[in-house]
Amino acid sequence: MIFQSINPFSKALIAEHEVLTDAQLKRKLELAESAFKNWRHTSFQERGDKMKKLADILREKKEELGLLITNEMGKILSEGIAEVEKCAANCDFYAENAEKMLRDEHYETPFISMSVYDPMGAVFAIMPWNYPFWQVFRYAAPAIMGGNVSVLKHAPNTIGCAKAIENAFLEAGFPEGVFQQITITISQVESVIASDIVCGVTLTGSEMAGSSVASLAGKHIKKSVMELGGSDAFIILNDANLEKAATVATQSRMLNAGQACICAKRFIVTEKVADEFAALFAQKIKALQQGNPLQAGINMGPLARLDLAENLSRQLEKSLQQGAKLVVGGDQDDTNFQPTLIDFVDSNNVAFQEETFGPLATIIRAKDENDAVAIANNHRYGLASAIWTEDRVNAHQLARKLEAGNVFVNSLVRSDSRIPFGGIKKSGYGRELSEVGIKEFMNMKSLIIE
């Protein structure tokens, strides 16, 4: 079987990637097992030196790797380069902080008692195409700095990125087998999860994929971290700076052509300022330039695949039939989906209930701030939310009422190496990044000495 990497804008065939046979996959897992036996005993200094070298390589090759990202999944080149730079920063962060994060923890008891953190084995990662470098590095850097090894199943359309990441690890001096990409089918996933060398599974993807993989992890009694879908609320209150809110709203919804789990998708605006915000939002969306992602001045490229654009068109059409009003955009041409804004969406609307993975923004009008919070929480997803208000004390109180893994006030929702990231409800469980993230796949072992 062959996976094809096809440029979503030009439709040119970039490369073909042959799927591993079961025998080849077995050898890859055996290599991971062998690598772990040695890697787990290396010092933080040795791991950190290699991780720092990896960060240097990413920065040196950021234009080349950014172009690869753009060609494989369609984001504009500047976003691809920025993604590689963020990965390099994450490598530096864990190289500098892993030892401190995993230091022994002592307890006040009549005897000597402590917790120590030991690596567990190979982390099996199933990663998506929308951030083909960042999604990998945000789990791989902490896991490997902790003494684990990793095997990666990447999305079929970004295998080139997966291979480039593996090559960068090898170039940085990591032993063969510490990080491997494996080109496999869905039918081969369970055999990897079942392998004794695999200590756990991390997945970033859809709710459906998470449910399936989490079930397999449970079946084989493996730790799992799930970062799944989102329909993030972006709440604008009466006293918000509407100009700034509309600017960040446009960025938050349209970045990466709207193909991100933490893109704001439901813009919940109090009635008093809804008309003014809608007009500002529409103006900024109209100003976006969509086209060739390699061309200067372009704000947005195509969606990564035709089926994604077609599904977004279905969601838009159904939403309009259900009473939403089209404000801006609405056209689809192959993988190009015009930046779109609809208004007067309610909780019964498809655009409210489903995750819209593309440049489709929805305005939901709330009576007041309490109604806005209730609307935000009335969803099966709980990844991230934003609140826009000049009253920080009130924002803090409202933030505590929001059912989400992350809440940002007067700011773009984003992931940060220093801060735990993850969701609740159908958005998944577990956390990535920060000290919490590095401990997800470590064995917290209690030592008691009389």
Side-chain angles (χ1 to χ4, degrees):
M1 184 176 178
I2 300 291
F3 288 144
Q4 290 187 326
S5 177
I6 297 174
N7 186 307
F9 182 79
S10 70
K11 307 301 182 293
L13 176 65
I14 300 170
E16 293 185 329
H17 307 282
E18 190 169 350
V19 170
L20 296 175
T21 65
D22 289 342
Q24 290 171 325
L25 176 57
K26 183 175 182 291
R27 289 195 290 272
K28 290 277 189 179
L29 293 175
E30 289 171 346
L31 178 59
E33 182 176 28
S34 176
F36 176 63
K37 290 177 180 177
N38 294 317
W39 184 250
R40 67 179 301 171
H41 297 299
T42 55
S43 67
F44 284 107
Q45 180 68 49
E46 181 178 348
R47 297 174 204 164
D49 288 346
K50 288 179 171 55
M51 195 62 70
K52 283 280 192 179
K53 176 61 176 176
L54 178 56
D56 291 341
I57 291 169
L58 292 175
R59 291 190 178 96
E60 291 166 5
K61 296 185 175 182
K62 63 182 181 182
E63 286 85 5
E64 172 190 338
L65 298 175
L67 179 60
L68 174 60
I69 293 171
T70 296
N71 285 336
E72 285 208 308
M73 60 74 57
K75 71 177 63 184
I76 61 174
L77 182 57
S78 60
E79 290 179 355
I81 293 172
E83 182 177 336
V84 177
E85 291 175 329
K86 188 172 184 177
C87 294
N90 194 52
C91 291
D92 282 338
F93 176 78
Y94 280 105
E96 294 163 3
N97 293 287
E99 184 173 12
K100 179 176 63 177
M101 291 172 170
L102 297 176
R103 64 188 180 277
D104 296 348
E105 297 177 5
H106 295 264
Y107 305 105
E108 292 185 9
T109 62
F111 41 84
I112 298 172
S113 57
M114 69 188 77
S115 290
V116 299
Y117 291 91
D118 293 338
M120 296 171 64
V123 177
F124 176 39
I126 301 173
M127 292 292 120
W129 47 264
N130 58 333
Y131 287 92
F133 269 64
W134 173 240
Q135 304 284 13
V136 174
F137 276 92
R138 74 183 193 185
Y139 90 82
I144 290 171
M145 276 302 302
N148 294 300
V149 299
S150 176
V151 286
L152 164 70
K153 178 199 178 301
H154 220 321
N157 57 323
T158 51
I159 300 297
C161 289
K163 291 183 175 179
I165 293 170
E166 180 176 5
N167 288 337
F169 269 93
L170 292 172
E171 185 178 345
F174 286 88
E176 191 176 5
V178 169
F179 180 93
Q180 298 179 86
Q181 78 84 25
I182 51 174
T183 306
I184 61 173
T185 64
I186 293 174
S187 63
Q188 293 171 296
V189 165
E190 183 169 5
S191 66
V192 179
I193 295 175
S195 170
D196 288 340
I197 182 60
V198 170
C199 67
V201 186
T202 180
L203 177 142
T204 298
S206 69
E207 178 185 346
M208 184 184 302
S211 177
S212 177
V213 171
S215 296
L216 290 173
K219 175 183 175 181
H220 295 284
I221 317 178
K222 301 294 175 72
K223 173 72 180 289
S224 60
V225 171
M226 297 288 133
E227 199 272 275
L228 309 178
S231 188
D232 290 2
F234 190 106
I235 298 172
I236 300 102
L237 302 183
N238 290 342
D239 63 344
N241 181 328
L242 296 184
E243 174 65 31
K244 184 178 179 182
T247 298
V248 176
T250 305
Q251 182 185 9
S252 183
R253 173 66 279 201
M254 303 301 170
L255 188 70
N256 206 41
Q259 301 169 116
C261 53
I262 58 171
C263 275
K265 300 180 177 74
R266 295 179 297 143
F267 296 86
I268 304 169
V269 193
T270 49
E271 289 177 341
K272 183 178 179 180
V273 296
D275 287 342
E276 184 179 355
F277 175 79
L280 287 168
F281 199 9
Q283 179 183 3
K284 294 180 185 301
I285 290 175
K286 284 180 183 178
L288 296 173
Q289 297 296 313
Q290 185 179 37
N292 186 339
L294 297 177
Q295 184 179 326
I298 294 298
N299 307 113
M300 183 186 302
L303 298 191
R305 300 191 311 264
L306 178 59
D307 63 297
L308 298 168
E310 290 176 340
N311 185 57
L312 199 60
S313 286
R314 174 195 65 79
Q315 292 172 315
L316 173 61
E317 181 179 354
K318 186 67 174 177
S319 297
L320 296 177
Q321 291 172 358
Q322 293 172 326
K325 304 300 181 185
L326 181 65
V327 180
V328 175
D331 293 334
Q332 177 209 341
D333 179 14
D334 198 76
T335 52
N336 295 301
F337 192 97
Q338 190 177 16
T340 300
L341 174 64
I342 58 177
D343 199 350
F344 299 100
V345 172
D346 61 33
S347 61
N348 296 314
N349 198 287
V350 163
F352 184 101
Q353 295 176 344
E354 298 181 7
E355 181 178 24
T356 52
F357 216 67
L360 170 60
T362 64
I363 291 179
I364 302 104
R365 297 177 179 233
K367 296 175 184 178
D368 52 34
E369 63 182 37
N370 291 325
D371 188 35
V373 171
I375 292 170
N377 289 340
N378 181 28
H379 208 284
R380 69 182 186 278
Y381 291 132
L383 187 57
S385 295
I387 301 173
W388 286 79
T389 174
E390 294 297 288
D391 187 341
R392 289 190 175 186
V393 174
N394 188 40
H396 184 236
Q397 294 172 345
L398 293 176
R400 288 183 171 272
K401 297 178 182 179
L402 286 170
E403 297 167 358
N406 312 266
V407 180
F408 285 65
V409 177
N410 297 334
S411 176
L412 177 75
V413 172
R414 60 199 181 277
S415 56
D416 185 308
S417 298
R418 298 164 294 183
I419 304 170
F421 179 83
I424 60 171
K425 299 182 179 180
K426 300 298 185 182
S427 290
Y429 53 80
R431 292 295 180 265
E432 296 179 303
L433 303 175
S434 77
E435 181 174 330
V436 178
I438 197 173
K439 290 178 177 177
E440 285 283 10
F441 294 105
M442 302 296 293
N443 173 29
M444 185 178 182
K445 182 167 64 181
S446 296
L447 294 183
I448 296 91
I449 304 172
E450 293 284 358

